[in-house]
Every structure is written in structure tokens, then in C-alpha cells.
Amino acid sequence: MIDAMYATGQGLMGGIWPATVWPVLWVLIKIVAVLAPLMGCVAYLTLWERKAIGFTQVRVGPNRIGPFGLLQPIADALKLLTKEIIIPTAASKGLFILGPIMTIMPALAAWAVIPFGPDVALANVNAGLLFIMAITSLEVYGVIIAGWGSNSKYAFLGAMRASAQMVSYEIAMGFCLVVVLMVSGSLNMTDIVMSQGSGMAASKGLTFLSWNWLPLLPIFVVYFISSLAETNRHPFDVVEGESEIVAGHMVEYSGMSFAMFFLAEYANMILVSVLCVLLFLGGWLSPIDSALFTWIPGWIWLGLKTFVVVTIFLWVRSTFPRFRYDQIMRLGWKIFIPVTLVWLVVVGAWMQTPYNIWK
């Protein structure tokens, strides 16, 4: 259907604009079609977080702006848009402005290769998983630049803590992705999802038992917990330890410059959640291959699974206490990295035996 729309648009514009204009315009249309709903989801994820945490704490949550508080994210956006952006006198202005941009850019750019169905993506490239690993690793530069450019001891200490934590858990997440690459035999995100729809359990209609979460359960757990640390979410949010370093690398920011860090955090939550679904939970595949489930479009399954994973992020925040920084670093370096390395060897050996389930 998308190809037909592209061909129709090219035919309509062919006599007016050069052939080089319509492909660029078509790519821009697809980018807007992905990013506009994403930014809406980011805005309302903040409301869902406050509502969900309120529920766990036996509170109502936001309920004043609009019916059931549904206009609260819009009110928050208007407030941040109208607040003054203050740049400290001693700050490096260029780096101070570049920091938030470098933080939110990778969180949005990674969606270029996220598939919403079979071959339905902005760019269905063969090295999609490699692209995601590369582009998301750039986010740490935004954090460091923001802390350094602020010329503040609190911001700089927060940036150092954040960058050390992100790099540490990025290694464990990288090994998790390597294991998924081994069993899938492809870096293409669509192929990774489709490989989870085959196997003994899938042939009997129990598709959810053929997804990667079951045979790669330790890797799945490590990936999820590392995602919490990578996005600086509770209980790994020592970057914003109020009793120690106030708001970390973003302490000197206000208005929309602060909001960009805020948006990047929630956009990253959605990104790592949808990656978790694509890599371990079957992506857009229905859990049971029966008429009761298969009539539901794949993108709805993808959205429902992502919503559940994101909600677990919020549930963790309202349940667990914050870790000490030394505990966080010990977990990443002394537990997660050895576990992923051992499991990588185990899966590699498993694949060479007659009991290989990924043939």
C-alpha cells in the first residue's frame, strides 16, 4: 500500500517537479508520520506515569486540567514553551545549546529503522540493528557536552556519573543484541521478528512460546534491567540524586532546553521498550495463532506489547528504592557483563548441537 501511495504521488508530481523532488518529499512525509504520533505518545506517557504511580500510591493523580486530567500534558508543554531559557554567564553558549540537541537527536533518529509490520519502516535496511546500536550510543555525548558546557560543578559531576553509567550498561546491552543476532542470523529488524514466528511451538499455534524471551530468558532479563539503567530510570536515576547533585547534567537548564532532556528520557523509554518487543517478544506477531487473535492488525499488537513494557518501567519506579552509585556500577560490570558473555558462549555452543532450535 505504501509503495502504491509513493507511485501515485510520483505520477501526480512528475509533470510539475523534477524527479528528484518527490522522493525527498515522500521521505519527509514518512518522517512526520512517524515522529508526530511519537511526540504525542511521549507527551501522554508523562500523564500515564503520574496516573500509574498515583494508582500504586492510592492517589488520583492529575485530574484538574481537562476531563480526567487529559489536557495536563498540553498545559505542561505551554508552560515550558513560555518559560525563559536562561544561559549562565560563565557557560559555553555553543556547547550549552548543543547538549539538549545531541541528547534528543539519537532518541528520534533510531526510529528510522524501527519496523511497524513486515517491511513497514522508514528505512528497511539490512543493518538495522547495527544502526540502532550506533545511533543510540551518541546520546552519551549530549550528556557530557551539557555538563561541561554548563561550567558548573554539579552539572559536571552529574554528567560524569551519567556517562559512566550509560557506557557500563551499554556494553551489557550490546552483548544482548549480539546473542539475538546469533539466533536470528540477520541484522534486519524485520527478519529478527519473522524468525520468532517459526518453530515447534509456533507450528502448534502457541507463537508466544517461540519468541526469543523463553530460550534467551537471562538475556531478556539483563536487557530489560540494562534498559532502565541506560535511560537513567528508577532505581538507576542517581544522575538526578536530589540530595547529592540536584538535577545532574541538566541543573542549569530551563524552559524548552530542559524540556528537551525530559522528552529525550521518555522517547528513549518508548524506544528501548519497542526494541524489547521486537527482539524478544515477537514484535507485531500475535501471541496465539488463532482466528481470535490474528484478525488484529500487527501494529496494534506491537503497540500493546510496547505499552505493557513501558508500564513495567513505571511500576518499577513506584516500587523499588534508589540504588547507591557503587551498587549500580558493580551490577553492570561484575554481574551483567559476565552473565551475557557466558550466555553468549552457551548459545553459541547450543547452536552447534543437534538440539539447535533456531535452524
Side-chain angles (χ1 to χ4, degrees), residues 233-306:
R233 294 290 300 179
H234 207 86
F236 300 95
D237 60 340
V238 293
V239 176
E240 303 167 19
E242 292 86 357
S243 60
E244 305 160 16
I245 51 174
V246 198
H249 58 279
M250 64 187 85
V251 67
E252 300 290 350
Y253 287 86
S254 61
M256 277 308 296
S257 58
F258 167 78
M260 289 178 71
F261 286 108
F262 201 61
L263 292 173
E265 177 181 328
Y266 285 84
N268 276 318
M269 280 176 58
I270 299 175
L271 176 64
V272 296
S273 297
V274 78
L275 281 175
C276 182
V277 171
L278 292 170
L279 300 176
F280 297 99
L281 300 177
W284 54 81
L285 302 177
S286 62
I288 298 177
D289 189 12
S290 70
L292 185 63
F293 294 96
T294 53
W295 67 271
I296 301 175
W299 62 272
I300 292 182
W301 280 120
L302 182 65
L304 287 174
K305 294 175 186 177
T306 304

Side-chain angles (χ1 to χ4, degrees), residues 132-316:
I132 290 172
M133 293 173 67
I135 200 73
T136 52
S137 65
L138 295 175
E139 188 178 351
V140 68
Y141 292 105
V143 173
I144 294 173
I145 289 171
W148 179 262
S150 297
N151 197 20
S152 164
K153 292 182 177 64
Y154 287 119
F156 184 66
L157 287 172
M160 290 296 98
R161 282 167 58 149
S163 57
Q165 176 179 315
M166 292 168 72
V167 169
S168 301
Y169 284 88
E170 212 168 78
I171 298 172
M173 288 184 71
F175 284 131
C176 292
L177 300 184
V178 169
V179 175
V180 173
L181 166 62
M182 288 171 55
V183 301
S184 303
S186 175
L187 283 167
N188 184 280
M189 300 300 293
T190 300
D191 292 345
I192 291 173
V193 174
M194 299 308 293
S195 68
Q196 298 177 63
S198 59
M200 185 186 301
S203 63
K204 296 180 180 180
L206 301 175
T207 315
F208 71 97
L209 293 178
S210 69
W211 298 344
N212 286 334
W213 71 270
L214 186 56
L216 304 180
L217 186 60
I219 296 296
F220 174 56
V221 173
V222 170
Y223 175 86
F224 180 79
I225 298 175
S226 297
S227 298
L228 291 170
E230 184 70 13
T231 53
N232 293 321
R233 294 290 300 179
H234 207 86
F236 300 95
D237 60 340
V238 293
V239 176
E240 303 167 19
E242 292 86 357
S243 60
E244 305 160 16
I245 51 174
V246 198
H249 58 279
M250 64 187 85
V251 67
E252 300 290 350
Y253 287 86
S254 61
M256 277 308 296
S257 58
F258 167 78
M260 289 178 71
F261 286 108
F262 201 61
L263 292 173
E265 177 181 328
Y266 285 84
N268 276 318
M269 280 176 58
I270 299 175
L271 176 64
V272 296
S273 297
V274 78
L275 281 175
C276 182
V277 171
L278 292 170
L279 300 176
F280 297 99
L281 300 177
W284 54 81
L285 302 177
S286 62
I288 298 177
D289 189 12
S290 70
L292 185 63
F293 294 96
T294 53
W295 67 271
I296 301 175
W299 62 272
I300 292 182
W301 280 120
L302 182 65
L304 287 174
K305 294 175 186 177
T306 304
F307 175 76
V308 171
V309 175
V310 168
T311 302
I312 295 175
F313 271 70
L314 311 182
W315 175 42
V316 168

Side-chain angles (χ1 to χ4, degrees), residues 311-330:
T311 302
I312 295 175
F313 271 70
L314 311 182
W315 175 42
V316 168
R317 178 179 179 181
S318 63
T319 305
F320 293 98
R322 179 180 286 150
F323 291 161
R324 291 199 320 265
Y325 190 70
D326 63 297
Q327 294 173 326
I328 291 173
M329 300 304 287
R330 187 185 307 119

Side-chain angles (χ1 to χ4, degrees), residues 65-142:
I65 312 298
F68 306 105
L70 291 176
L71 298 181
Q72 184 68 49
I74 298 175
D76 292 339
L78 291 174
K79 177 190 72 173
L80 290 168
L81 282 168
T82 54
K83 291 185 74 172
E84 181 183 4
I85 298 177
I86 300 173
I87 300 179
T89 305
S92 174
K93 186 175 181 180
L95 295 178
F96 190 83
I97 295 172
L98 182 63
I101 298 172
M102 285 291 294
T103 304
I104 197 171
M105 181 274 292
L108 302 181
W111 285 86
V113 296
I114 298 295
F116 301 94
D119 299 323
V120 181
L122 278 176
N124 188 25
V125 297
N126 289 330
L129 188 59
L130 183 62
F131 174 85
I132 290 172
M133 293 173 67
I135 200 73
T136 52
S137 65
L138 295 175
E139 188 178 351
V140 68
Y141 292 105

